[in-house]
Amino acid sequence: MGLVRKQIPQSPEEPAPPSATPDELIRRLDDPDPERRREAALDLDGMPEAVPELLARLGPEQEPRVRDAVLTTLAAHDTEAVAAGLAVHLASDEAGLRTAVAEALATMPRSTPALIPDLLAAPDHDVRVMTAMVLADLPHPDAQSWLARMIDEDPHANVVTAAIDALLPAATAEHVPVLQAAARRFPDDPFLQFTVRSALPRLAGTA
Amino acid sequence: MTAETTHPRVLVVDDAATVRLYHTSLLRDAGFEVAEAANGLEAVEAAMSTPFDLFVVDVNMPKMNGYTCVETLRSEAVGTAAPVLMISTEDRPGDADRAYQAGANLYLVKPVGAERLVRVATMLTAAKGPVA
C-alpha cells in the first residue's frame, strides 16, 4: 500500500515522507497556492479514498501543472472507475483538459480498453477524434484493430483521418485495403486522399 | 518577411505527422518556406529563435495545446505579431471565439482543401510580400 511504503524511507536519498494525513492532503487540493495543490495531488498517490476527490477537482482546476499532477496520481490507479471518470472530459470544451485526459487514458492499459467500445460509438465526433489519440499511444494488443475499425466504419471524415494518423506509425501492408476503402468512402476529403496516397507506397513494402 | 528570403516563412504546428506533411507540402508547392513543430512547446521554442511570417496551428496537441501556444506566441516572452491560422477538428460553438481570444487571426475547421489553405496563407502574409 502506497501510504505504508511512503512512511518507510528505503534510503537516505529518498525524500521525506508526507507528514499530512489523507484528509489534510485532500483539503490542500483546494489551497489557493497552486504549488500546494500540486504537491497534495502527488502525495495522494496510492490512496484510493482520494480518487473521488481528485476526479471532482479535475474539471475546475485551471492550473495545468496541478491538473497534470492530479492526472498522474489518478492514472496510476488504472481502475475502470478512474478511466470512466476521466473519459467524460474527452468532451470538454477546454482543449488542455481533453488533451491531457487523452494522454492519461493512454497510460492506463488495464482499464481504458473496457471504455473503448462506448467511446467508438460516442455521438460526438470530437470525442471519437480524441479516442483515436488515446489509441495511438495505448499499449494494448487490440489498439490497432480498434483504429482499423474506426477507419473502416466511422461516418465522420475527421475521425477517420485521426484514426489513420494514429495507425500509420504501426501500419503494415495488411492495412492497405482498409485505407483504400476509406479513400473511396471520402472521395471529396482532400486531406484523407493525400494521407492515403502518401502512405500506400510505404505500406506496400512492409510485411 | 525575413531578410534572407523573398518567400514568406511559415511554421506548421501539429502533433499529427500526416497533417504536418499535408500542410507543409501544399504550402511549399505554393512557394512558402515551411518549418514544422510537433506541439505548442516546440512551436514557441522555434518562434523564439526564428522569425516566422505565419503560424498554422492545430488545437489538440500534447505538451502544449494550440490555444496556449497562440497565447504564448502573443505574450511578452515571444511577442510575435505574425498572423496565426488555427486549423482544428473542433467545431463546437465557441471554439473559434477561444481561438480569437488567444490571439489567432483566423480559425478554420478541418478538412481544409489545398486551394483554400494556400489562398488563406497568401492573404494572411500578403502584407509581407508576394508568394513566388
Side-chain angles (χ1 to χ4, degrees), chain A residues 12 19 29 36 46 50 61 63 81 93 99-100 106 117 120 150 159 166 168 170 199 207:
Chain A
S19 55
L29 292 174
R36 295 260 292 175
E61 180 57 62
E63 276 288 335
D93 285 339
T99 306
L120 295 181
M150 292 175 88
V159 179
L168 277 184

Side-chain angles (χ1 to χ4, degrees), chain B residues 25-82:
Chain B
S25 300
L26 295 176
L27 292 169
R28 279 201 183 125
D29 288 350
F32 292 87
E33 184 177 332
V34 186
E36 299 178 24
N39 57 63
L41 206 55
E42 284 186 14
V44 168
E45 288 171 355
M48 292 180 86
S49 60
T50 306
F52 289 96
D53 302 307
L54 174 66
F55 295 87
V56 178
V57 183
D58 182 30
V59 170
N60 293 318
M61 294 183 290
K63 296 186 181 173
M64 182 187 286
N65 68 71
Y67 299 130
T68 306
C69 172
V70 176
E71 286 167 355
T72 309
L73 291 174
R74 297 296 191 223
S75 71
E76 203 171 314
V78 182
T80 179

